[in-house]
Amino acid sequence: MTDFGIKKALQELGLKDLNNGTATGSNHFSNGEIIESYSPVDGKLIGKVKATTKEDYEKVMEIASKAFISFRNIPAPKRGEIVRQFGNKLRQKKGALGQLVSYEMGKSLQEGYGEVQEMIDICDFAVGLSRQLNGQTIPSERPGHLMREQWHPIGVVGIISAFNFPVAVWAWNTALAWICGDVCVWKASEKTPLCAVACQHIIAGILKENNLPEGISCIINGDYKVGEMMTKDSRIPLVSATGSTKMGRIVGTTVAQRFGKSLLELGGNNALVITPSADLKVVVPAAVFGAVGTCGQRCTSTRRIIIHEAVYAKVRDAIVGAYKQIKIGNPLDETNHVGPLIDQAAVCNYLTAIEQAIAAGGNVLVEGGLLEGEGYESGCYVKPAIIEAENHFQIVQEETFAPILYLIKYVGEIENAIEKQNGVTQGLSSAIMTNEMKEAEKFLSYAGSDCGIANVNIGTSGAEIGGAFGGEKETGGGREAGSDAWKVYMRRQTNTVNYSDELPLAQGIKFDL
């Protein structure tokens, strides 16, 4: 393993004997092929799980569907109590789970801890929300009538999550789904399966302690073929999928064909706009963390910085200078800022993107490349790169899940920067750095950023769970976490109650017998 306590963390999470395979759903074991999880940190085998077969999947769905019948009848505040217990257990396991996230995915240890904190935060949010799943009373045009809305559990929620946030995105979905009365079947990324198994161990223990059905929370393992079982299954009314735009197109189309609902959180090509009045003390840390945090593998990572020509040279030099201070290495060592990419396929995509940017006419300011030698044996460590580019370059128009930052110049008014910001097919996160109120308000107006997230004087990355998270255009339009995102996990029902002795019809229609 490593010298950073991973063995101890695995034991604390109940993952000390992973070479014999593990469960796909609670206590039901798979007969599928072996999936090996290697750490991008040091290239070592962490453990093995078994992929879910069609037979295994049917068992999981049978268990989950049965659990829903009883779970939906439990009062919402009581369901919130289960989520409260889960959040408290996460507080106890934060150190161990955060280390596993860091080791299996490759993000810095601080980001690993932060991801588990996101899980805790969404649990706290959901517990309070469990007493506020409110409908509304609607005035009726008919005398002696009452109209109202109710929200009911939707059923089995399918969750497909990505490797870059191997536990938090699942928690965003499942904490809300549980308090809404739904049960969940989770297909984690095959690149980070052990994080999913660890979470399942935690919640399975809580369900057992409360004498609740194990099918309230199930996991399935495998590649896209396992995900297809879920997207094609009419027993799953909602599929929440996080990943690439390519994946989202397939999931959204497949689920729509059976009239199911999909919650899509897809690609981002996020820009940070720097105006002449921007404060460099705020700009530099926001830009650098946004670009290199999680080694550029966040959906909200800063891909483009759009800088006014009047301050372009000053901002460019400050960011380039800051890159010289970045420390790259084992993410479990807290003195390092940046860890590895998830695997060598991601490295190939990164190197190809740099080549394409140069071929298009880009000017390299901070050279990228693969890091080799002691400490980089996994072959997944790369250098964050900065390239001067034009917004219309094809590679700039695409999302590259790696630490490549494009600097783009704009001239004239803020509207010109907004046009460049919006001039990509993705619409997840955006930000502006300005001390001019008019510029900030224009950026946030209906004619401003077309993204689901628009920030002022903070970066594109680092959302809180209190607000709804998600984006527009090819980002998919889904919303998770805070605000009223809970409504997607429920079905709306309009009720009309006649407490009079007459039967007046709406719109004044007469129907006399």
Side-chain angles (χ1 to χ4, degrees):
M1 293 294 177
T2 73
D3 296 327
F4 293 90
I6 289 298
K7 277 189 176 181
K8 183 178 179 181
L10 291 173
Q11 290 173 350
E12 185 177 340
L13 295 168
L15 306 181
K16 56 186 175 181
D17 185 21
L18 283 169
N19 291 328
N20 294 322
T22 191
T24 56
S26 302
N27 296 320
H28 298 267
F29 285 79
S30 170
N31 296 311
E33 298 178 354
I34 293 292
I35 299 173
E36 296 180 328
S37 178
Y38 290 89
S39 171
V41 173
D42 53 20
K44 294 181 179 179
L45 177 66
I46 313 173
K48 305 175 183 180
V49 301
K50 289 185 178 180
T52 300
T53 65
K54 181 63 176 176
E55 181 183 10
D56 300 324
Y57 177 79
E58 288 300 324
K59 290 179 181 178
V60 169
M61 283 304 301
E62 181 181 348
I63 293 166
S65 299
K66 184 178 179 181
F68 171 63
I69 299 302
S70 59
F71 190 55
R72 66 183 177 183
N73 291 323
I74 296 175
K78 297 294 185 183
R79 299 193 296 257
E81 168 60 19
I82 302 305
V83 176
R84 187 191 68 81
Q85 293 178 32
F86 181 53
N88 284 344
K89 186 65 70 172
L90 289 171
R91 285 179 169 87
Q92 298 172 20
K93 303 286 186 180
K94 180 177 177 178
L97 186 55
Q99 288 183 66
L100 176 59
V101 168
S102 178
Y103 188 57
E104 189 174 33
M105 186 269 147
K107 64 177 58 178
S108 74
L109 186 57
Q110 281 297 314
E111 291 182 81
Y113 292 151
E115 184 166 347
V116 181
Q117 186 61 49
E118 280 193 68
M119 301 175 75
I120 296 167
D121 292 345
I122 194 64
C123 286
D124 288 349
F125 179 86
V127 171
L129 188 62
S130 68
R131 294 180 182 270
Q132 301 178 64
L133 302 176
N134 303 323
Q136 60 179 332
T137 301
I138 305 166
S140 174
E141 67 183 57
R142 290 167 284 183
H145 284 60
L146 170 70
M147 292 179 64
R148 68 187 182 198
E149 284 185 348
Q150 293 190 102
W151 294 87
H152 297 300
I154 199 170
V156 180
V157 173
I159 302 168
I160 301 173
S161 64
F163 72 86
N164 60 330
F165 278 84
V167 295
V169 172
W170 167 72
W172 286 2
N173 283 273
T174 203
L176 295 186
W178 285 337
I179 61 104
C180 289
D182 302 321
V183 301
C184 298
V185 176
W186 176 24
K187 194 204 89 64
S189 170
E190 64 271 26
K191 297 180 181 181
T192 52
L194 304 185
C195 288
V197 175
C199 291
Q200 179 67 13
H201 281 191
I202 295 171
I203 187 59
I206 291 170
L207 295 176
K208 185 176 182 180
E209 291 171 4
N210 288 271
N211 296 314
L212 290 171
E214 59 184 358
I216 291 170
S217 178
C218 295
I219 59 174
I220 54 178
N221 301 314
D223 59 14
Y224 73 94
K225 296 176 184 177
V226 176
E228 284 181 348
M229 299 180 195
M230 185 183 294
T231 58
K232 294 178 178 179
D233 194 340
S234 60
R235 294 169 294 183
I236 299 180
L238 171 66
V239 175
S240 174
T242 302
S244 68
T245 297
K246 179 181 177 181
M247 178 275 288
R249 282 197 178 95
I250 297 171
V251 171
T253 301
T254 304
V255 174
Q257 285 177 339
R258 60 176 176 81
F259 296 103
K261 296 198 298 182
S262 56
L263 192 170
L264 301 176
E265 295 287 357
L266 310 176
N269 194 349
N270 316 295
L272 179 63
V273 174
I274 312 297
T275 70
S277 67
D279 185 345
L280 273 183
K281 296 193 301 294
V282 178
V283 166
V284 173
V288 176
F289 176 74
V292 308
T294 321
C295 201
Q297 296 172 112
R298 291 183 173 219
C299 51
T300 55
S301 290
T302 304
R303 311 287 177 200
R304 300 172 294 143
I305 300 186
I306 302 168
I307 310 168
H308 193 276
E309 62 174 349
V311 292
Y312 182 84
K314 180 171 65 174
V315 173
R316 176 198 62 200
D317 293 347
I319 294 175
V320 169
Y323 265 52
K324 296 176 182 178
Q325 303 175 45
I326 294 173
K327 296 180 180 178
I328 308 166
N330 189 320
L332 289 128
D333 180 346
E334 294 189 71
T335 64
N336 291 322
H337 301 106
V338 178
L341 289 171
I342 185 64
D343 54 25
Q344 292 183 16
V347 173
C348 289
N349 290 337
Y350 156 84
L351 294 173
T352 300
I354 291 176
E355 291 176 0
Q356 291 178 356
I358 294 172
N363 177 40
V364 177
L365 298 177
V366 175
E367 186 177 0
L370 180 66
L371 288 167
E372 298 177 306
E374 185 178 355
Y376 304 128
E377 290 84 358
S378 70
C380 297
Y381 290 87
V382 300
K383 293 182 285 187
I386 301 179
I387 302 174
E388 290 181 310
E390 297 292 339
N391 204 57
H392 66 266
F393 288 177
Q394 182 58 44
I395 190 60
V396 176
Q397 291 284 310
E398 300 171 2
E399 178 189 45
T400 302
F401 233 47
I404 302 173
L405 179 63
Y406 300 111
L407 300 190
I408 300 164
K409 187 182 296 184
Y410 83 94
V411 298
E413 302 302 319
I414 188 62
E415 286 82 358
N416 297 327
I418 292 172
E419 183 179 3
K420 289 180 182 292
Q421 137 65 35
N422 294 345
V424 295
T425 59
Q426 308 85 357
L428 179 53
S429 186
S430 60
I432 186 172
M433 294 290 181
T434 180
N435 285 324
E436 294 289 339
M437 183 183 71
K438 288 183 178 180
E439 290 181 331
E441 291 299 333
K442 284 182 179 180
F443 188 76
L444 301 178
S445 75
Y446 60 86
S449 168
D450 63 4
C451 294
I453 299 169
N455 299 326
V456 176
N457 290 332
I458 64 171
T460 64
S461 191
E464 299 179 31
I465 61 91
F469 180 90
E472 300 300 322
K473 301 192 293 187
E474 289 190 0
T475 301
R479 293 296 186 274
E480 294 173 319
S483 186
D484 63 350
W486 61 271
K487 291 181 178 179
V488 75
Y489 305 94
M490 305 196 83
R491 58 182 177 87
R492 185 196 307 254
Q493 185 181 80
T494 302
N495 308 137
T496 303
V497 178
N498 179 6
Y499 57 89
S500 74
D501 296 326
E502 305 295 331
L503 188 64
L505 299 178
Q507 293 84 47
I509 294 172
K510 300 295 183 181
F511 187 75
D512 298 325
L513 294 176

